[in-house]
Amino acid sequence: MTSGRAERVKLALRQIDELLSRGRLRDAEAMAQRLVAENPLAAEAQFILGITIQSQGRFDQAEPHFARAVTLDGRNVGYLLNYGLCLLSMGRVPEAAAQYGKARSVAPSNVEAIWRNGSFHARIGHMEQALALFHKALERAPDAARHAIRLEVLDCLLSLGRIDEARAHIERFIGVTPHHARYLCLLSSIGKHDAESEMFGRIGRELARPDLAPVDRSDLMVRRGVMLQSSGRYDEAFASFTEGKKLLRAPSVTAAFRQEVDTRIAAFGRDRLQHLAAQHGRSEYRPVFVLGLPRSGTTLAAQIISAHSKAGNAGELETMTYAAAKLGRGKPLGEIDGALGELGEAGIAGIAALYEQVMRFVVPGKEMAIDKMPLNFRFIAEASILFPQARFVNCTRHPADTFISALQTEMNAAHSYSYDPVDYAAYHREYRRLMAHWDEALPGRVFHLAYEKLVADPEPVIAALLGYLGLDMEEACLHPEHNAGAVTTFSRLQVRAGINASSVARWKPYERHLAPILESV
């Protein structure tokens, strides 16, 4: 590359970075596309195009550009790490691991490479490996990076149930961390605090800061609501929850979900789905999909099953989302027959093998892997085509309880339906409509696990669940609180308390706010 062209590339890169920083993602992508067209062999051009596309959540389209950048410059740690993150975001875990590993081998002492390898292990639930890497990174990290690494250490400790260590960590660093609001949220989630507590005052003082980021303010208002709830001040609590969610300004996703449900029901009728599964399903792998709306008991169900000696919890990965997209080949769902025909038996087998490889990588040495991504209920058809012996555990709970639980949890914008009772009632109706369709299309394939029945009388319910999965009863399954596996979901503290009915009918003090949900039951 001539010096003049190199300078033009650098200028374009700076301009693209500026557009990204201002949130003008489509303009940044368009400029990056032009840069790549003019300089297809420039690794930095391919990389920045990948970044602009990934920033919009289109990981499958970003991946080829990261791959090209790594091919052109395989010793650039940043390229390798971002490529790994892109693959991980699609649930392609072993491939991601390879890129993270290359970054370590290229630069064994590089703090960013060590740190991000820790982040990778934390994301797939391998917390002890993650902690070891985080501590190694902390030994040589600059002060600015140390704060962010310590926050990841804290998340690991909480996921492992090491509460005393987590509390000590917070108290040690809360006075110096720039992530003060996040530390305060996590500290307030440990133990019991009400509106008369010192913690309530600390959160109030933090909320008084004018420079607080909207997401931090929202999370703190949720925590404030939980403490008002503990004091029996339910109307104030509900106002704090809902006002906090409004700060996120997240658009509703319910209309799009309704359209998706219509499309899936039309595309996968009973005869058609059973025909497709019989024609194309060749894999003998038997994954277990634990699914349902968030806060319906999916974490507890996964902990119960993974307490069994033959089972392991792979956590919440995007692998099935990726596999479903690959099966559809970008075509409308109504054209699934053609997409599968184009893939051929080898192509379909390859997608099934990729999924199995991921599960065996994340849960090594176990006969049964649990895929605990709640929203996989959307992809039951694709999963049944890929895996004729797959099992589906649909977790159900009173919708008013799932709503209240979600409302007082830091759910991101993808779950904006959980911010408002009217929106939640509409989303929940569509979820029920889709699950009723799967029951009709795949009779007997879905086990419905009712949270209220489980906590009221655990042993017979768990015995029935394990029987459906082809597993013998084991005592450990009755005590998921002793399961040593990491819990990375919002329920990580609750499940350590064991199976109990304390969360049943938590909606009743909020009844006057929940008419849209109660009327839909």
Side-chain angles (χ1 to χ4, degrees):
M1 186 183 298
T2 65
S3 59
R5 171 167 287 194
E7 285 302 316
R8 288 194 296 274
V9 169
K10 287 181 182 179
L11 175 61
L13 292 172
R14 288 195 296 270
Q15 292 171 334
I16 294 167
D17 281 335
E18 174 65 19
L19 290 170
L20 287 170
S21 68
R22 291 160 57 189
R24 294 172 56 184
L25 304 183
R26 291 191 178 278
D27 291 339
E29 180 185 348
M31 190 170 185
Q33 291 279 12
R34 291 193 296 271
L35 184 64
V36 166
E38 295 167 3
N39 304 276
L41 298 182
E44 59 267 49
Q46 295 283 353
F47 176 73
I48 198 66
L49 178 54
I51 290 292
T52 65
I53 298 171
Q54 180 173 260
S55 299
Q56 300 172 67
R58 291 162 26 223
F59 300 103
D60 58 328
Q61 295 175 33
E63 188 265 339
H65 298 289
F66 288 131
R68 184 64 172 151
V70 166
T71 299
L72 292 166
D73 183 0
R75 299 191 63 79
N76 187 300
V77 171
Y79 297 174
L80 291 163
L81 293 175
N82 274 277
Y83 187 21
L85 177 61
C86 182
L87 291 165
L88 179 60
S89 300
M90 291 187 284
R92 293 163 58 179
V93 179
E95 296 168 84
Q99 299 306 316
Y100 283 107
K102 287 177 184 176
R104 285 291 309 277
S105 63
V106 164
S109 300
N110 184 286
V111 170
E112 187 81 8
I114 299 169
W115 172 14
R116 297 307 175 190
N117 266 269
S119 302
F120 164 74
H121 282 286
R123 177 67 183 81
I124 63 173
H126 296 179
M127 293 299 176
E128 295 295 353
Q129 296 97 313
L131 279 173
L133 287 161
F134 289 147
H135 289 308
K136 185 172 183 178
L138 283 169
E139 293 173 1
R140 58 191 74 186
D143 288 341
R146 282 199 184 112
H147 295 304
I149 298 170
R150 286 176 186 141
L151 185 57
E152 296 206 54
V153 168
L154 178 55
D155 273 329
C156 282
L157 293 173
L158 289 169
S159 295
L160 289 167
R162 291 158 59 174
I163 306 303
D164 290 341
E165 289 179 68
R167 184 184 288 108
H169 176 104
I170 294 171
E171 295 291 6
R172 180 180 178 187
F173 295 112
I174 195 169
V176 298
T177 181
H179 307 288
H180 187 268
R182 184 62 189 151
Y183 268 61
L184 197 55
C185 283
L186 292 172
L187 182 60
S188 69
S189 71
I190 300 172
K192 300 287 186 180
H193 307 282
D194 60 22
E196 306 304 317
S197 66
E198 185 266 344
M199 180 60 69
F200 189 79
R202 290 177 72 174
I203 284 184
R205 290 190 291 276
E206 188 73 8
L207 283 168
R209 285 179 46 196
D211 60 337
L212 205 58
V215 66
D216 287 334
R217 188 173 298 279
S218 176
D219 290 350
L220 286 165
M221 290 184 73
V222 167
R223 295 308 309 162
R224 179 176 180 272
V226 170
M227 284 180 268
L228 288 164
Q229 175 181 265
S230 295
S231 292
R233 293 160 60 178
Y234 296 107
D235 287 343
E236 293 174 79
F238 193 82
S240 194
F241 295 143
T242 53
E243 289 168 16
K245 299 297 187 182
K246 288 176 184 176
L247 293 172
L248 300 177
R249 300 184 181 278
S252 174
V253 297
T254 300
F257 180 52
R258 182 181 299 113
Q259 185 175 17
E260 180 183 353
V261 171
D262 287 341
T263 302
R264 290 192 167 277
I265 289 174
F268 296 113
R270 177 171 180 167
D271 291 344
R272 188 181 195 191
L273 181 52
Q274 292 187 359
H275 168 74
L276 291 174
Q279 183 178 4
H280 300 292
R282 297 290 180 269
S283 174
E284 296 183 0
Y285 189 56
R286 294 186 59 190
V288 175
F289 294 90
V290 172
L291 37 81
L293 287 182
R295 315 305 296 163
S296 61
T298 54
T299 297
L300 178 58
Q303 285 295 97
I304 289 170
I305 302 168
S306 63
H308 198 282
S309 60
K310 293 183 178 180
N313 185 6
E316 297 184 356
L317 300 173
E318 295 287 352
T319 312
M320 192 59 227
T321 304
Y322 175 76
K326 294 295 286 184
L327 274 184
R329 293 181 59 81
K331 297 177 180 293
L333 276 179
E335 300 176 20
I336 187 69
D337 308 68
L340 293 173
E342 290 177 11
L343 278 169
E345 297 310 311
I348 296 169
I351 295 170
L354 181 146
Y355 180 93
E356 179 178 351
Q357 181 189 29
V358 170
M359 294 299 116
R360 293 193 185 280
F361 182 93
V362 179
V363 186
K366 294 289 186 178
E367 181 179 310
M368 182 174 289
I370 303 155
D371 185 335
K372 198 213 83 72
M373 177 59 82
L375 298 188
N376 275 341
F377 67 78
R378 297 156 55 208
F379 306 122
I380 285 178
E382 290 92 338
S384 69
I385 292 169
L386 283 173
F387 306 108
Q389 299 183 61
R391 294 292 180 266
F392 305 97
V393 178
N394 176 45
C395 297
T396 64
R397 186 182 177 192
H398 194 294
D401 269 340
T402 55
F403 171 73
I404 287 297
S405 183
L407 192 64
Q408 54 190 266
T409 304
E410 296 93 330
M411 306 284 279
N412 63 33
H415 301 286
S416 62
Y417 60 86
S418 67
Y419 297 176
D420 173 82
V422 173
D423 205 13
Y424 190 84
Y427 195 96
H428 195 273
R429 279 194 298 270
E430 297 307 315
Y431 153 74
R432 291 202 309 265
R433 184 161 69 97
L434 184 58
M435 291 310 305
H437 174 72
W438 296 142
D439 279 336
E440 194 278 331
L442 296 166
R445 290 290 301 278
V446 180
F447 183 95
H448 296 282
L449 180 64
Y451 181 83
E452 290 80 5
K453 291 182 180 179
L454 170 64
V455 299
D457 195 5
E459 188 163 354
V461 175
I462 292 173
L465 170 63
L466 295 176
Y468 162 78
L469 298 175
L471 298 172
D472 294 329
M473 185 65 165
E474 290 185 358
E475 182 71 17
C477 296
L478 298 174
H479 302 283
E481 69 274 20
H482 301 317
N483 189 335
V487 182
T488 59
T489 69
F490 290 120
S491 302
R492 60 190 176 188
L493 298 181
Q494 293 97 312
V495 298
R496 304 294 181 185
I499 301 172
N500 64 80
S502 63
S503 293
V504 173
R506 289 176 63 188
W507 60 269
K508 287 191 174 180
Y510 299 100
E511 183 170 2
R512 75 185 194 90
H513 301 286
L514 305 179
I517 298 173
L518 298 174
E519 290 167 3
S520 72
V521 175

